[in-house]
Amino acid sequence: MKQNYEIILASGSPRRRELLTQAGLSFRVKTADVDETPTKTKPEKVVEELSRRKAEAVAEQILNEEGSFELSASPRIIVAADTIVAMDGEILGKPRDTEDAVRMLRELSGRTHEVYTGVTILVPADGKQEPESEADGKQEPESEADGRLSSWNCTFSSCTKVMFYPLSDEEILDYVASGEPMDKAGAYGIQGLGERLVERIEGDYNNVVGFPLSHFLRILAKQGMITYEV
């Protein structure tokens, strides 16, 4: 696989870094502080909005630092993502404290919930090269900043259904005591100790980890951002 664009990952998540590395992609990480208060209500719209906001913030930061995207020696894309857990229309974010983590896990016990991840791929507005064809997802600017900062962008979301085993209070308290739930949406991490809570999933496992890698790679290939060599 040949990578034709430099990837700037607008996320500090170690799980997302691991997934991109496993896919054989090279990238650098650059993050920016953003207001993560959504204006949307549907889970898929929330993650799409927040991923787009993160990508735009990093694009703005680079433009402020460099003065022009054209200073780059190669074409670049900015990639941002956001993940939430939802059940019965309620969005479950990261727990505020251990009591909140226990509450969330009791709600999820023995039931099915959804994990949504939104991804935005943004090509800076004055980049040296534009993609050759259209891809799945939104490509029209959704904000004034987006239109100014990007020559092309794609935002999409992926949903995976997750069913938990019925959990005893002892299981929940033991898991919360590990500390793992405290920085994760829905108060669990499927790639860690939280795996033992999950009976089955329907959909993309990596989406639950925090990044729908296969869908992302297919868009990059369709756009010529990566090419497969025989």
Side-chain angles (χ1 to χ4, degrees), residues 18-221:
E18 289 169 4
L19 286 171
L20 292 187
T21 299
Q22 289 170 13
L25 296 171
S26 60
F27 59 92
R28 62 186 174 98
V29 174
K30 192 172 188 62
T31 60
D33 292 330
V34 298
D35 178 5
E36 295 195 28
T37 305
T39 63
K40 313 294 184 182
T41 55
K42 292 184 177 180
E44 64 271 24
K45 298 300 182 183
V46 169
V47 291
E48 288 174 5
E49 177 185 31
L50 295 183
S51 73
R52 189 162 48 246
R53 198 177 293 175
K54 292 174 183 179
E56 290 174 2
V58 168
E60 183 87 54
Q61 188 179 85
I62 293 172
L63 186 59
N64 290 338
E65 291 171 356
E66 299 182 0
S68 170
F69 292 120
E70 292 181 349
L71 294 178
S72 175
S74 61
R76 294 181 283 188
I77 57 173
I78 297 169
V79 179
D82 190 80
T83 301
I84 61 171
V85 170
M87 188 173 67
D88 297 336
E90 178 189 1
I91 294 175
L92 303 178
K94 296 176 183 179
R96 296 184 300 273
D97 50 35
T98 56
E99 289 184 1
D100 197 35
V102 169
R103 176 191 67 81
M104 288 186 188
L105 292 168
R106 283 175 175 162
E107 287 186 14
L108 297 173
S109 174
R111 302 181 65 191
T112 299
H113 61 273
E114 296 79 38
V115 179
Y116 294 87
T117 297
V119 177
T120 292
I121 307 166
L122 184 152
V123 178
D126 51 355
K128 293 175 180 289
Q129 181 179 345
E130 292 189 5
E132 297 176 354
S133 61
E134 294 184 355
D136 301 330
K138 301 181 184 66
Q139 296 163 52
E140 293 299 323
E142 295 240 348
S143 70
E144 181 179 350
D146 182 53
R148 177 170 59 84
L149 293 169
S150 69
S151 62
W152 179 91
N153 66 88
C154 172
T155 297
F156 68 90
S157 59
S158 181
C159 175
T160 302
K161 292 184 177 182
V162 181
M163 173 170 277
F164 268 23
Y165 285 108
L167 307 175
S168 67
D169 275 354
E170 289 79 10
E171 286 179 282
I172 291 172
L173 293 172
D174 180 74
Y175 180 54
V176 171
S178 74
E180 184 177 272
M182 303 314 299
D183 66 341
K184 295 175 178 61
Y188 78 97
I190 196 171
Q191 74 284 355
L193 297 173
E195 182 180 23
R196 67 194 187 198
L197 312 178
V198 177
E199 181 175 0
R200 65 178 182 269
I201 71 168
E202 181 182 328
D204 185 352
Y205 172 86
N206 287 331
N207 186 60
V208 186
V209 177
F211 197 79
L213 184 63
S214 296
H215 191 168
F216 172 71
L217 291 174
R218 293 183 71 83
I219 291 176
L220 294 195

